[in-house]
Amino acid sequence: MNWLYLGVAVIFEIAVAISAGKAKGFTRLWWSVSTLVTGAIGTYFLSLALLTFPVGVGYAIWTSVAGVGIVILGALFFGQRLTMKKFFGIALVIGGVVGLQLSGA
């Protein structure tokens, strides 16, 4: 169940990033509200996952997977470019997450 909680937390963390970008410095009301609500929900599910994950490992996986998701969604839906350097960075992040999991998370 802890992986499910972490997965839900990742989805909401991605939503936070998208909402925060659209909020334009909290000048757009509904995007600002979305940022705060999705942030609260994501943090709640992260806290549930951290009942069984070590905090450092759980938090690192949460932020890393969400970061990769945001980069991919940015390329798919927001016209952001994926360069070879970005692909390399994504591979490093995935390798780090796998390494954390193999370390006994």
Side-chain angles (χ1 to χ4, degrees):
M1 197 63 152
N2 55 337
W3 282 103
L4 178 63
Y5 291 146
L6 194 57
V8 171
V10 165
I11 291 167
F12 279 98
E13 180 65 10
I14 292 169
V16 168
I18 292 169
S19 296
K22 298 284 187 178
K24 303 287 184 193
F26 285 96
T27 60
R28 293 181 169 171
L29 177 64
W30 294 112
W31 283 111
S32 300
V33 170
S34 176
T35 301
L36 297 172
V37 170
T38 56
I41 295 169
T43 302
Y44 172 74
F45 278 99
L46 175 64
S47 72
L48 294 177
L50 293 180
L51 292 172
T52 54
F53 280 107
V55 68
V57 172
Y59 187 80
I61 292 172
W62 179 55
T63 57
S64 300
V65 174
V68 168
I70 293 162
V71 169
I72 291 169
L73 287 177
L76 291 174
F77 298 109
F78 301 112
Q80 299 171 1
R81 288 180 18 112
L82 277 179
T83 63
M84 287 307 294
K85 289 180 182 179
K86 287 182 182 177
F87 278 118
F88 182 68
I90 288 170
L92 288 174
V93 169
I94 291 170
V97 168
V98 169
L100 284 172
Q101 178 57 27
L102 293 176
S103 74

